[in-house]
Amino acid sequence: MKAKTKTIDVKKSTAGRVLIGVTLVIIVLAWTIPTFGVFVTSFRDPKDIYASGWWSVLPHKDLVKSDEFELPADMDPNIPIELEGVTAEFQEWREGIEVSEGRTLRWYGNKRSRKIEVFEEKWIGFGANLTMQNYRDVLSGGTIDFTDADGNKITRQGNNFSDAILNSIAVSIPATIIPILIAAFAAYAFAWMEFPGRKPLFIMVVALLVVPLQIALIPVLRDFTRWGITGTFMCMWMAHTGFGLPLAVYLLYNYISTLPRDIFESAYLDGATPFVTFVRLVLPLSIPALASFAIFQFLWVWNDYLVALVFLGDKNRVVTSALAAMIGEKGQDWHLLTSGAFMSMIIPLAVFFGLQRFFVRGLMAGSVKG
């Protein structure tokens, strides 16, 4: 009886693992395929983008031109034409007719050309015409030229995306470091120092987590305008520091409060001041939590559009504002949009992969107490 029950449990466990595996594969594909399509499009020639979808670069069966010939000069194209046993009008030949299995004839050009192209269905490998010109164009601030699917030469003014990337870096790095430093000091004080009003102040900080930043935008903007700092990086640093501090203090408090009391008592017995204890003990021991919040804050600031739109405007465009402007000005130029989108991902991905080994440890900090 026990053996039978054990067999049933093993079957249920196996079925559960298979179901989880299939679900994960579906989710991964649903996320990855569109991203892969955008990535491939960012490297394709503009003429190819207008003519076919990104999936055409993958191995597939398609009509490949294998030969061509000219019709006799005395053949009248205004009457039905018979070729290889098939009779059709000029327009039908121009659209292409399959005369036998895998063999298609297509009239090239107008009636005077009299040229027939022969296509055969064959497997095509990785047939992409990849180029880095899209990335050079999107970074350029000058005039850029490309050809569309109809052969028309298009001239555009570049978006100078390189300036937008530098502006985003100038905003994101200070807006990540400043709240981390302030929050680390505050979290240490809330966790290990005694002072009047400690608990009410901490409760107030945690309560600020539920306040949406949207309701503070206009009052803060009025203050920044009165101080004359609207449109500067300073106002972005102050805004992101204020909006990010409650979460930073809460996250770092949960980690720092779990540090062993013995190391603080030993430090105080050796004559260390609270500041020395913070710099030499708390900061080195809190690197996982600091790195975890740094990822959150940097990604939030880098991908922010609303705060940048309100406080910076078009004076110093960041990558999100530059991409939004490209959609409005060049919404049909997919090669520029996809290139700009992928360039905006490079630095956040580098930050995430550089700090990811601290990410899980930082998130789990303080969640389990012994």
Side-chain angles (χ1 to χ4, degrees):
M1 184 66 183
K2 288 184 178 178
K4 187 176 180 180
T5 305
K6 188 176 181 180
T7 304
I8 295 174
D9 291 341
V10 170
K11 288 182 178 178
K12 287 183 177 178
S13 176
T14 304
R17 284 197 295 269
V18 171
L19 181 62
I20 292 172
V22 171
T23 305
L24 288 176
V25 169
I26 293 173
I27 293 174
V28 169
L29 290 176
W31 277 98
T32 306
I33 290 177
T35 307
F36 180 72
V38 174
F39 180 70
V40 172
T41 303
S42 70
F43 286 100
R44 295 185 73 200
D45 188 85
K47 188 176 179 180
D48 295 340
I49 294 174
Y50 290 120
S52 60
W54 65 268
W55 50 88
S56 61
V57 305
L58 301 175
H60 64 286
K61 260 189 169 183
D62 202 352
L63 294 176
V64 179
K65 182 181 174 182
S66 59
D67 197 6
E68 65 179 31
F69 60 88
E70 289 191 10
L71 297 176
D74 58 350
M75 179 173 285
D76 186 2
N78 296 313
I79 60 174
I81 304 168
E82 182 179 354
L83 295 173
E84 300 188 10
V86 179
T87 303
E89 299 286 345
F90 163 76
Q91 191 59 37
E92 295 174 300
W93 285 116
R94 192 174 185 186
E95 294 173 357
I97 296 178
E98 185 174 3
V99 294
S100 61
E101 185 176 357
R103 180 180 171 85
T104 300
L105 301 183
R106 186 179 298 166
W107 190 298
Y108 176 81
N110 54 28
K111 293 180 179 178
R112 289 179 293 180
S113 71
R114 298 178 180 278
K115 183 188 291 185
I116 301 295
E117 293 180 331
V118 181
F119 292 88
E120 294 183 359
E121 197 173 55
K122 295 180 179 178
W123 276 98
I124 301 175
F126 190 79
N129 181 22
L130 303 183
T131 175
M132 290 294 293
Q133 188 61 39
N134 299 339
Y135 286 87
R136 287 192 285 269
D137 287 345
V138 82
L139 287 173
S140 170
T143 303
I144 56 177
D145 300 312
F146 59 91
T147 305
D148 65 9
D150 298 326
N152 302 317
K153 191 171 183 179
I154 309 295
T155 301
R156 304 273 193 216
Q157 184 66 34
N159 280 79
N160 203 2
F161 206 71
S162 54
D163 275 1
I165 293 176
L166 293 177
N167 289 338
S168 282
I169 292 174
V171 169
S172 301
I173 293 178
T176 301
I177 294 175
I178 294 172
I180 285 179
L181 288 177
I182 297 174
F185 276 112
Y188 170 63
F190 283 130
W192 293 105
M193 296 178 68
E194 295 291 341
F195 56 90
R198 186 180 70 161
K199 286 188 177 179
L201 285 173
F202 183 70
I203 292 173
M204 287 176 60
V205 171
V206 175
L208 288 174
L209 286 171
V210 301
V211 179
L213 68 89
Q214 289 84 354
I215 67 171
L217 289 177
I218 300 304
V220 172
L221 177 63
R222 293 178 62 182
D223 288 338
F224 285 170
T225 304
R226 190 162 53 247
W227 299 340
I229 59 173
T230 305
T232 65
F233 294 140
M234 175 63 74
C235 74
M236 290 293 290
W237 300 339
M238 294 175 65
H240 282 299
T241 298
F243 295 141
L245 266 180
L247 176 62
V249 172
Y250 180 70
L251 186 66
L252 296 180
Y253 172 83
N254 281 340
Y255 187 88
I256 293 174
S257 63
T258 60
L259 296 176
R261 178 181 292 274
D262 295 346
I263 62 172
F264 294 99
E265 293 177 349
S266 299
Y268 295 146
L269 286 175
D270 290 339
T273 62
F275 181 76
V276 172
T277 305
F278 174 77
V279 173
R280 296 192 177 181
L281 289 178
V282 176
L283 281 183
L285 292 173
S286 304
I287 287 178
L290 296 174
S292 178
F293 177 74
I295 293 174
F296 273 127
Q297 181 71 0
F298 186 87
L299 295 182
W300 154 248
V301 176
W302 185 272
N303 294 320
D304 165 68
Y305 175 66
L306 179 62
V307 176
L309 181 67
V310 172
F311 295 128
L312 272 183
D314 289 334
K315 192 173 182 179
N316 293 302
R317 278 182 178 173
V318 294
V319 290
T320 49
S321 300
L323 280 175
M326 288 173 64
I327 293 173
E329 298 165 1
K330 305 177 177 63
Q332 70 278 25
D333 299 339
W334 286 98
H335 59 294
L336 300 179
L337 286 171
T338 51
S339 305
F342 261 89
M343 292 193 68
S344 70
M345 298 179 194
I346 294 174
I347 293 180
L349 285 175
V351 171
F352 179 79
F353 287 119
L355 301 177
Q356 66 165 342
R357 61 196 176 104
F358 301 113
F359 190 63
V360 176
R361 277 195 288 164
L363 286 180
M364 297 296 291
S367 61
V368 179
K369 295 184 179 179

